[in-house]
Amino acid sequence: MLEILTKLPERFLENQEYAYAVGRVRALEVSLIDKQRFERLLKAGIEEMGRILVDTDYSHSLSELLNPSTFENALQNEKQRILTLIDSLIFEENVRKFLHLEFDYFNARVLLKGKIFDRDVSDFLVPLGNLNTDEMKQIFENEEYEKLPENLVKAIQDAISSYYNSKEPRMIDFTFDRAFIEHMNVSGYPPFLQDYYRLLTDLTNFRSLLRWKVMELDKSRFRDVLLPGGFIPEGMFLELIGEPVEQIPGVFSRWIYYPVFLEGTKYLNTNHSFIRYEAMVEKLLSTYIDKTRYLVFGVEPIIAYYLKKMKEIKNMRIILVGKFNGVEEEILAERLVV
């Protein structure tokens, strides 16, 4: 019998060895940029933004951060700083490696696209993974994929097959996304982290369903883009591929996702945009992350702090890109999750 997810999961492991680490991140959380400060940043010019950020984690790199030609490097350096900190606080090696793993998958898909389309993609690589990017470049140039971890080798092989069978570049992205989630599902990571990605899987699959419907893509290929291991069975999404878009959210009326699905679909139908849906997805995931707020032991608050910092950096990038390109404040505000 299908178990309907009516509330956010709360599977936490208490590990007293993390008492110091939890205390450390609780002190660091005070420096996270809050809603009020983000709202001030939205209204500010570049010079004023510098004054608003002077007592934040970005104070040491303001000149680089507020420069259109160097802000990406400043944000990447902040990611590296946080990952280095988190590595020093987490005892489990597999968890430390997992937080770097998404960058390995990202770099592999970038390099594979460069290989297939004969392009130099060096500038797009992110040196935050477990694997050295220069070594990865050499491996792809020589097609020595067997030198990579087994999970990446399989992802590369599947992505090559998917692309040449479909001739659609997006199938490369879908294949790597699926491989990453499959790795999460079969590995022994903390339940809190597993449930985070199960939530993300359901939310991603629903977006894929809407996109497939709106773009009127080949229904027979929809199965290929669904991610495995969510709380919602893949079969439910497959059954809905032939239904009218406006009727789909009602199928999930008893699920925790219903408000997100309903409002996101309405906004899509009216404005032909996923902006509202993406923002509501981030808000739901943030609510889940905040469930660690009162934990005093365990790895969960450490992971939660990392996820909060990644969201903060993402919001900073949205604001900076918008400011540098003259995007209206109202449009930027819709994209932020604070």
Side-chain angles (χ1 to χ4, degrees):
M1 182 177 178
L2 175 62
E3 183 177 351
I4 295 175
L5 189 70
T6 58
K7 62 180 182 178
L8 292 172
E10 294 187 25
R11 295 198 299 159
F12 306 130
L13 302 175
E14 291 196 14
N15 184 343
Q16 295 189 12
E17 291 182 338
Y18 278 100
Y20 166 77
V22 172
R24 179 82 184 278
V25 298
R26 293 298 183 224
L28 292 170
E29 284 175 339
V30 176
S31 298
L32 289 169
I33 298 179
D34 59 17
K35 180 179 180 180
Q36 289 71 31
R37 196 180 298 239
F38 269 123
E39 289 175 348
R40 290 171 59 199
L41 288 170
L42 280 174
K43 298 178 183 299
I46 296 298
E47 186 175 340
E48 176 63 18
M49 286 180 67
R51 290 191 285 270
I52 295 171
L53 294 170
V54 73
D55 59 345
T56 68
D57 290 342
Y58 305 92
S59 60
H60 62 285
S61 60
L62 285 177
S63 59
E64 189 177 26
L65 183 70
L66 301 178
N67 186 320
S69 62
T70 57
F71 77 98
E72 293 280 17
N73 187 58
L75 293 177
Q76 182 165 294
N77 287 341
E78 181 65 7
K79 285 184 180 180
Q80 180 64 73
R81 186 183 72 81
I82 293 302
L83 275 166
T84 300
L85 169 66
I86 297 300
D87 283 345
S88 72
L89 296 176
I90 292 180
F91 301 131
E92 295 93 335
E93 183 181 10
N94 69 323
V95 178
R96 292 198 304 270
K97 286 188 173 181
F98 178 79
L99 296 181
H100 292 267
L101 189 64
E102 65 173 299
F103 301 107
D104 290 333
Y105 274 85
F106 174 82
N107 289 333
R109 82 171 68 189
V110 168
L111 286 165
L112 182 59
K113 288 181 180 180
K115 184 73 175 178
I116 290 174
F117 302 113
D118 193 24
R119 297 173 185 167
D120 182 4
V121 295
S122 301
D123 291 342
F124 298 100
L125 298 177
V126 180
L128 300 177
N130 297 298
L131 305 174
N132 181 279
T133 52
D134 289 332
E135 292 177 3
M136 288 186 73
K137 282 175 60 178
Q138 194 67 37
I139 287 171
F140 274 82
E141 286 175 8
N142 299 328
E143 298 186 15
E144 298 174 324
Y145 305 127
E146 69 279 359
K147 292 183 177 180
L148 294 169
E150 184 178 346
N151 55 302
L152 270 183
V153 174
K154 184 178 185 304
I156 292 166
Q157 292 171 341
D158 289 346
I160 292 172
S161 176
S162 294
Y163 170 71
Y164 283 108
N165 285 334
S166 66
K167 297 298 182 182
E168 296 181 20
R170 63 169 172 252
M171 294 307 298
I172 297 173
D173 295 319
F174 291 139
T175 303
F176 273 101
D177 288 343
R178 187 177 185 88
F180 179 78
I181 293 298
E182 285 177 343
H183 177 83
M184 161 59 72
N185 292 341
V186 300
S187 302
Y189 297 113
F192 169 74
L193 197 55
Q194 292 178 342
D195 288 343
Y196 175 85
Y197 280 97
R198 292 188 74 187
L199 292 168
L200 182 59
T201 291
D202 289 339
L203 294 161
T204 301
N205 282 341
F206 187 81
R207 182 186 59 198
S208 295
L209 174 61
L210 292 185
R211 180 172 285 118
W212 225 254
K213 295 286 296 179
V214 170
M215 297 178 66
E216 298 181 347
L217 299 174
D218 183 357
K219 294 179 182 179
S220 67
R221 300 202 63 84
F222 179 55
R223 181 186 298 273
D224 297 335
V225 307
L226 287 176
L227 301 178
F231 292 101
I232 300 175
E234 293 172 68
M236 283 191 70
F237 292 108
L238 290 170
E239 290 172 0
L240 293 170
I241 193 64
E243 298 298 319
V245 170
E246 61 274 9
Q247 294 182 17
I248 292 176
V251 175
F252 301 97
S253 60
R254 296 167 58 197
W255 291 76
I256 184 68
Y257 311 113
Y258 180 60
V260 179
F261 290 175
L262 181 63
E263 187 170 340
T265 301
K266 286 182 178 179
Y267 189 89
L268 174 64
N269 284 336
T270 303
N271 300 280
H272 311 292
S273 169
F274 282 95
I275 289 178
R276 180 66 57 80
Y277 182 76
E278 298 290 356
M280 293 188 71
V281 164
E282 292 294 338
K283 187 172 183 179
L284 180 64
L285 292 174
S286 293
T287 301
Y288 173 68
I289 293 168
D290 283 342
K291 285 186 170 292
T292 66
R293 182 177 300 173
Y294 301 109
L295 298 180
V296 294
F297 302 120
V299 72
E300 293 86 356
I302 319 302
I303 297 171
Y305 174 70
Y306 168 76
L307 294 172
K308 289 175 185 178
K309 277 297 298 187
M310 291 302 106
K311 184 185 74 171
E312 176 188 276
I313 293 170
K314 180 179 180 180
N315 280 338
M316 284 296 300
R317 186 178 187 279
I318 289 171
I319 291 176
L320 289 167
V321 170
K323 295 288 185 181
F324 294 144
N325 290 279
V327 178
E328 294 180 4
E329 177 187 328
E330 293 76 13
I331 296 176
L332 292 179
E334 276 196 313
R335 294 179 178 271
L336 293 186
V337 180
V338 293

